[in-house]
Amino acid sequence: MQHQHPDKQLAMRHTPIVQAKNRTMANPHLTVIVPAYNEALAITQTVENIVHTLSALSSVWDIVVVDDGSRDETSNIVKQLPQTHNTTLVRFSRNFGKEYAITAGLSYATGDIVICMDADGQHSASLLVEMLNKWREGFDMVYAVRQDREVESKFKKWGAKFFYKLMSASGKIEIPKDAGDFRLMDRVVVDALCALPERNRFMKGIYAWVGYRSIGIPYTPLPRTHGESAFSRLKLMSLAWTGITSFSSLPLRFASAVGVVLALLSFTYGIVVVIDKLFFNESVPGWPTVVASMMFLSGVQLLFIGILGEYLARIYDEVKGRPPYIVAEVSRPTLEQSSHAS
Ligand code: UDP
Ligand code: MG
C-alpha cells in the first residue's frame, strides 16, 4: 500500500474547503468588525454610521467591537449602545495591538461577509456599498487603497515606499501598496485567515498570503474625529520590521551576501599582502589597518547576530504557544433585541 507523504496529509487537513458562494444573495449576513483602543469619544458616532449603512444594505447584519484594552470608557459606551445597534463587545484583558484586535474580531464574526473598519471615523461607511458591489461581481476580498500619501509626512511616505519595495523584493507574496485593514472579506477568506496558526500576526502580509480573488478600490481617509493616531513612528517601524521578518528572509540573505563579499575582499587582500612581501619585500601595513578592519568586521558580525536573533525571537514566540490575545469579557446584545436583524 502506498502511503501519502506526511506533508501532503497535513496540507489536506488544514486546507479550508472552498465553497461556491451565491453572490446573488439578496440578504447576505454582513458583520463589521471594529478594533478600538481609547476611542470613547468616537465610537458612538462610528457605530451609528455603520448601522445606518448596514441597514440600507441588508436586513441581516451585526457589528463586533473589539476593545483592545482601552484605558477610557470605550467598553462601557459600547455596552450601553441601544440594542437595535446589534453590537457585540469583545474586551481584551490588556492592550494587545490592532493586529490582534482584528484577529479576534475575525474569529467572533459570524457573517457571510466580514468588513473591517477603524473606530476613529477615518474609514467612511459609504465605501461599503462599492465594496459589496465588487463582492457581487465575484471578488472574495475588496480592500481600500489610500490615495492621500502625498499629504503625509516625509517619514511616513518614504518609510512606506521603502517597506513596499523591500517586501516585493522578497518575492514570496505581493502586498498591495497602500492597502490597509479597511476591507471586505468573503466567509471563505475569513475561514482561511482564522485557520492560520501563527502568533506573529502581520495582517497586511496574512491577507496577501491567503490569496483569493482580490481587488482594490481607491479611498481617501477622513480626518480622525478625536484624538491622535496610536501609531507613533517607533510603532510603525516595529510593525514594518515584524512584517519583513514574518514574511521574508531577505535580511538573512543580505547577511550571507555581505559575508561572501567581505570574505572575497579579505582573501584578495591577503594574496596582495603575500605577493608584496615575497616579490617586492614591502613591509606589511601596520596596526591602524588591522584595528580598522577588525572594528568594521566585528560591527558587521554583531549586526548579523542581531538579525539572526530577531528570527530566533519570532520562533521563540511561536513555540511558547501562548494564545495571541486574552478576552476578558464578551457582551452580546440580548436575543429578543437582536432578532430584528435576523
Ligand atoms: N487600535 C487598536 N489597538 C491599538 C492601536 C489602535 O485596536 O493598539 C485601533 C484604533 O482604535 C483604530 C485603529 O486601530 O480604530 C487604527 O488606529 P489609529 O487611528 O491610531 O491608526 P492610524 O489611523 O493612524 O493608522
Ligand atoms: Mg486612524
Side-chain angles (χ1 to χ4, degrees), residues 35-37 39 68 95 97-98 101 118-120 122 156 224 228-231 235:
Y37 177 57
E39 301 284 6
D68 184 11
N95 180 235
K98 187 185 180 189
D118 280 3
D120 56 5
Q122 291 198 273
K156 275 195 177 178
R224 232 176 185 282
E228 281 184 356
S229 167
F231 288 89
K235 251 187 160 177

Side-chain angles (χ1 to χ4, degrees), residues 34-39 43 66-70 92 95-102 117-123 146 152 156 181 221 224 226 228-232 235-236:
V34 184
Y37 177 57
N38 294 338
E39 301 284 6
I43 194 74
V66 183
D67 176 4
D68 184 11
S70 297
F92 279 178
N95 180 235
F96 281 88
K98 187 185 180 189
E99 313 293 301
Y100 297 94
I102 294 174
M117 284 174 71
D118 280 3
D120 56 5
Q122 291 198 273
H123 295 165
R146 298 182 64 153
E152 279 199 311
K156 275 195 177 178
D181 297 305
R224 232 176 185 282
H226 297 278
E228 281 184 356
S229 167
F231 288 89
S232 60
K235 251 187 160 177
L236 282 174

